Amino acid sequence: VTFSDHNTKLTAGVEADPVSLSAGRLLGLFEAARRDPACALSEEELKTFLKLCDRVYDSFGVPCGNRFVGQLKKAVPVFVACGGEKATALDFLFASKILRRAVKKPAAGREAEIRALTRCIREHYGKNVFVRSAAMLAEWTAPEVKDD
């Protein structure tokens, strides 16, 4: 896991009783989240996301394999069941698993591809949705390259 900044102590702001949860019960909750259509990625959502992955592969040679798709199908529903948004989970996984490998390559000469990827993300998810990925792409590009 890669943290973007130093975390401070978490305070809930309300009193809460401790919860005892067995590993079996926790795994059962994970499985229930994966089976819930409201939490799981639809085929269309997965197809849209994989278009981004294909663009990264075509532009930067970073593949998105079956193992990663399996992780998506397991992690996104659990994140949503915990109160998160699908797009936020996808952004985190895209930035940490796919883009992190792409940004190890030099950005020089790839500015047009980086801008095209940024446009593709905005086209499919909107301007302020994939914030981790956008920040990573902005850091990767040369300072003189401006986003369209």
Side-chain angles (χ1 to χ4, degrees):
V1 176
T2 303
F3 296 101
S4 56
D5 56 3
H6 178 74
N7 292 323
T8 57
K9 182 179 177 182
L10 176 68
T11 55
V14 296
E15 288 295 318
D17 294 327
V19 175
S20 178
L21 192 64
S22 70
R25 174 76 175 124
L26 182 60
L27 291 173
L29 291 170
F30 290 165
E31 188 56 38
R34 285 193 288 270
R35 284 192 312 264
D36 184 351
C39 295
L41 286 173
S42 69
E43 286 301 316
E44 189 61 35
E45 289 167 327
L46 181 59
K47 195 171 168 184
T48 299
F49 181 75
L50 291 177
K51 287 179 187 176
L52 296 181
C53 295
D54 289 344
R55 180 172 289 276
V56 173
Y57 179 72
D58 292 343
S59 298
F60 310 107
V62 176
C64 168
N66 292 334
R67 187 172 71 174
F68 177 69
V69 173
Q71 291 171 351
L72 283 175
K73 290 179 178 180
K74 290 179 180 180
V76 172
V78 171
F79 186 82
V80 173
C82 291
E85 299 285 330
K86 288 179 185 180
T88 304
L90 291 172
D91 176 37
F92 176 78
L93 292 167
F94 187 67
S96 63
K97 299 281 190 171
I98 303 296
L99 284 183
R100 186 178 72 181
R101 293 188 332 213
V103 299
K104 290 180 181 177
K105 300 172 186 275
R110 297 178 180 250
E111 291 86 357
E113 294 163 318
I114 294 168
R115 282 193 304 268
L117 177 59
T118 300
R119 279 192 303 274
C120 185
I121 290 170
R122 287 181 179 170
E123 195 176 288
H124 293 296
Y125 293 98
K127 187 172 182 174
N128 297 314
V129 178
F130 269 48
V131 293
R132 286 178 188 268
S133 298
M136 191 174 280
L137 289 169
E139 284 178 24
W140 190 23
T141 55
E144 66 274 6
V145 176
K146 298 295 181 203
D147 187 30
D148 292 351

